């Protein structure tokens, strides 16, 4: 098996999932096109060297349907022979896209490929694909599928995380994101031109948010619980007595628009590009935990990855772990014992926004940027999917 290297990792800014959001005027292929162009230009990459594009995308509906990986590459003017694959494992989709790409390079099937993700939530809203598991409660229960917010409240209940604990996670995420933006730490951002002008900065962070404002927000998922989700969870965990509804719009992931691309290749690609890789993708892992917790799979995947590589959290310099609601972050600290100074040091999706199919690829770029900035060597990226699934990557800076 060959070593797999990351030669570049770029992304668009993350903008609000509203008609007023900075990227809303662009179709998904139109958002990806400048990223394809930047990837080729920054790396002196001939697109003809790329065997395949693999993209994560959760809501494959409307403008994002029809294998967006293939159609967006064609829209960008890349050669017809470049294949395309679109991956859906909910919020870990682009982590899985990168892992699949790495396996193709490691096996020798590909010398160079592009992996990443796209989600234009202002144009293709979450759940707009009408999946029956999210619209038919009886069918959902047969398939052990609950909505993400219900899973987050179950996590909080099981670990004893209070509303104040969860708001604290959100406030820390906002402060870290604000500092990272102020200090220009997100060097992987590619400015995107629109008819209204250039978009170059993440829009979602709320640097003036206070603990008092967070405390005043109503629970977001209590009605969902009363409609039946609480009963299902309590039937599985009767010892809990009741589900505590601690998640609000303030301590949950912020929906947004964004895309990200990662250039993967073998060692020989460096000779073609005339430049060295920035990181090595050492290993990946995918697993599944408790399905009714829905969004805790990033923890199980990180555990499995470390065990398989015979590492501990002390061997990892930085962790970029999906802030899949505040309680997931609290459980991550409890279960994995990660030093808070090593975890999501530049904020996470609660502050920065969560473009579902692109989040994992964005975290890869953020991790590599920060490893370089701090002159550190090793990091982990992990994200949760739905029904307890999760995927993780182990990355070493070159």
């Amino acid at each position: 098996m060959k070593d797999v290297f990351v030669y570049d990792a770029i992304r668009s800014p993350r903008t609000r999932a509203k008609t007023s959001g900075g990227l809303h005027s662009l179709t998904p292929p139109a958002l990806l096109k400048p990223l394809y162009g930047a990837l080729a230009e920054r790396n002196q990459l001939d697109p003809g060297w790329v065997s395949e594009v693999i993209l994560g995308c959760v809501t494959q509906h409307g403008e994002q349907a029809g294998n967006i990986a293939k159609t967006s590459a064609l829209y960008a003017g890349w050669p017809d022979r470049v294949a395309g694959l679109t991956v859906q494992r909910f919020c870990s989709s682009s982590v899985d896209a990168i892992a699949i790409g790495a396996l193709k390079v490691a096996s020798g099937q590909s010398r160079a490929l592009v992996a990443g993700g796209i989600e234009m939530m202002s144009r293709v809203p979450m759940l707009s694909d009408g999946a029956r598991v999210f619209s038919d409660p009886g069918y959902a229960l047969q398939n052990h599928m609950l909505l993400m917010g219900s899973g987050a409240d179950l996590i909080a209940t099981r670990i004893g995380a209070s509303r104040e604990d969860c708001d604290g996670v959100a406030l820390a995420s906002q402060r870290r994101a604000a500092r990272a933006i102020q200090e220009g730490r997100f060097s992987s951002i590619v400015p995107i031109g629109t008819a209204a002008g250039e978009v170059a900065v993440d829009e979602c962070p709320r640097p003036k948010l206070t603990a008092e404002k967070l405390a005043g927000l109503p629970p977001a998922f209590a009605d969902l619980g009363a409609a039946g989700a609480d009963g299902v969870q309590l039937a599985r965990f009767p010892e809990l007595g009741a589900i505590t509804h601690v998640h609000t719009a303030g301590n949950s992931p912020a929906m947004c628009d964004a895309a990200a691309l990662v250039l993967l290749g073998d060692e020989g690609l460096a000779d073609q590009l005339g430049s060295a890789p920035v990181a090595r993708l050492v290993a990946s892992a995918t697993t599944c935990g408790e399905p009714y917790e829905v969004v805790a799979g990033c923890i199980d995947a990180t555990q499995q990855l470390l065990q398989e590589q015979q590492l501990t959290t002390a061997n990892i310099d930085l962790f970029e772990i999906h802030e899949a609601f505040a309680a997931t972050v609290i459980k991550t600290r409890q279960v994995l014992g990660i030093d808070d100074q090593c975890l999501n040091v530049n904020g996470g999706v609660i502050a920065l926004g969560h473009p579902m199919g692109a989040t994992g690829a964005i975290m890869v770029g953020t991790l590599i940027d920060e490893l370089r900035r701090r002159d550190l060597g090793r990091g982990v990226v992990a994200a949760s999917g739905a029904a307890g699934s999760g995927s993780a990557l182990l990355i070493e800076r070159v």
Side-chain angles (χ1 to χ4, degrees), residues 219-356:
F221 308 107
D223 289 346
L224 193 61
D230 284 5
V232 171
Q233 291 170 326
L234 291 172
R236 193 174 183 94
F237 301 102
E239 70 279 6
L240 297 178
I243 303 296
T244 55
H245 295 286
V246 297
H247 288 94
T248 69
N251 57 34
S252 301
M255 294 184 291
C256 72
D257 297 338
L261 298 178
V262 178
L263 177 59
L264 300 176
D266 63 14
E267 188 174 15
L269 181 61
D271 296 329
Q272 289 181 271
L273 298 176
S275 60
V278 296
R280 185 167 73 96
L281 208 163
V282 180
S284 63
T286 297
T287 186
C288 200
E290 169 54 53
Y292 285 173
E293 286 192 348
V294 188
V295 289
C298 56
I299 302 167
D300 299 281
T302 300
Q303 280 186 310
Q304 179 171 309
L305 181 69
L306 294 177
Q307 289 171 359
E308 290 175 350
Q309 298 302 308
Q310 299 182 341
L311 298 170
T312 69
T313 54
N315 302 127
I316 307 300
D317 296 309
L318 293 173
F319 290 86
E320 282 288 323
I321 295 184
H322 178 205
E323 284 183 346
F325 300 84
T328 303
V329 179
I330 297 169
K331 183 175 179 179
T332 297
R333 293 175 185 155
Q334 290 182 0
V335 173
L336 298 177
I338 298 174
D339 186 330
D340 191 55
Q341 298 307 307
C342 301
L343 175 63
N344 298 345
V345 296
N346 292 322
V349 299
I350 290 175
L352 289 160
H354 178 34
M356 300 182 292

Side-chain angles (χ1 to χ4, degrees), residues 22-54:
L23 297 174
H24 171 73
S25 63
L26 302 176
T27 64
L31 173 57
L32 283 162
K33 183 177 180 178
L35 292 182
Y36 285 119
L39 200 66
E41 183 178 351
R42 285 162 53 112
N43 298 282
Q44 301 299 300
L45 171 70
D46 181 343
W49 298 342
V50 174
S51 65
E52 188 169 11
V53 174
I54 307 174

Side-chain angles (χ1 to χ4, degrees), residues 58-62 88 90 124-136 139:
V58 175
T59 309
Q60 295 180 36
H61 176 68
Q88 212 282 45
F90 295 95
V124 188
M126 182 173 64
L127 307 182
S128 61
D129 53 349
R132 188 179 174 189
V133 291
F134 295 127
S135 61
D136 181 337
Y139 185 78

Side-chain angles (χ1 to χ4, degrees), residues 1-288:
M1 300 290 280
K2 296 182 178 181
D3 283 341
V4 181
F5 295 95
V6 177
Y7 284 86
D8 203 0
I10 61 174
R11 69 171 176 97
S12 74
R14 285 181 268 203
T15 62
R16 295 184 183 93
K18 299 179 179 179
T19 55
S20 59
L23 297 174
H24 171 73
S25 63
L26 302 176
T27 64
L31 173 57
L32 283 162
K33 183 177 180 178
L35 292 182
Y36 285 119
L39 200 66
E41 183 178 351
R42 285 162 53 112
N43 298 282
Q44 301 299 300
L45 171 70
D46 181 343
W49 298 342
V50 174
S51 65
E52 188 169 11
V53 174
I54 307 174
L55 297 182
C57 181
V58 175
T59 309
Q60 295 180 36
H61 176 68
E63 296 173 341
Q64 288 180 165
N67 192 2
I68 188 70
K70 174 60 179 175
T71 55
S72 64
L74 290 171
Y75 181 87
W78 280 30
D80 295 352
R81 59 168 293 277
V82 178
L85 171 66
T86 305
V87 176
Q88 212 282 45
R89 206 195 312 258
F90 295 95
C91 302
S92 70
S93 294
S94 58
V95 173
D96 293 296
I98 293 168
I100 291 168
L103 291 171
K104 286 175 175 279
V105 173
S107 68
Q109 183 177 341
S110 176
R111 163 155 281 191
L113 58 79
V114 173
I118 173 78
E119 207 77 42
M120 292 290 288
M121 301 181 76
S122 71
R123 298 179 67 98
V124 188
M126 182 173 64
L127 307 182
S128 61
D129 53 349
R132 188 179 174 189
V133 291
F134 295 127
S135 61
D136 181 337
Y139 185 78
L141 294 181
Q142 292 173 18
N143 292 276
H144 299 280
M145 288 290 284
L146 294 177
L147 285 165
M148 288 69 77
S150 293
D153 280 343
L154 175 62
I155 293 169
T157 305
R158 293 189 73 194
I159 65 174
S162 68
R163 169 68 180 270
E164 291 74 18
D165 294 334
C166 292
D167 284 351
V169 168
L171 197 58
S173 184
Q174 293 286 352
R175 289 174 175 170
R176 290 181 174 191
R179 181 185 61 195
I181 291 170
Q182 183 178 24
E183 295 179 0
R185 295 188 184 185
F186 297 131
S187 56
S188 58
I189 291 180
V190 171
I192 304 295
T194 73
E198 187 177 81
V199 181
V201 180
D202 292 322
E203 289 182 352
C204 295
R206 300 170 62 190
K208 295 182 180 180
L209 188 65
T210 64
E212 291 73 24
K213 289 181 180 178
L214 281 167
L217 295 173
F221 308 107
D223 289 346
L224 193 61
D230 284 5
V232 171
Q233 291 170 326
L234 291 172
R236 193 174 183 94
F237 301 102
E239 70 279 6
L240 297 178
I243 303 296
T244 55
H245 295 286
V246 297
H247 288 94
T248 69
N251 57 34
S252 301
M255 294 184 291
C256 72
D257 297 338
L261 298 178
V262 178
L263 177 59
L264 300 176
D266 63 14
E267 188 174 15
L269 181 61
D271 296 329
Q272 289 181 271
L273 298 176
S275 60
V278 296
R280 185 167 73 96
L281 208 163
V282 180
S284 63
T286 297
T287 186
C288 200

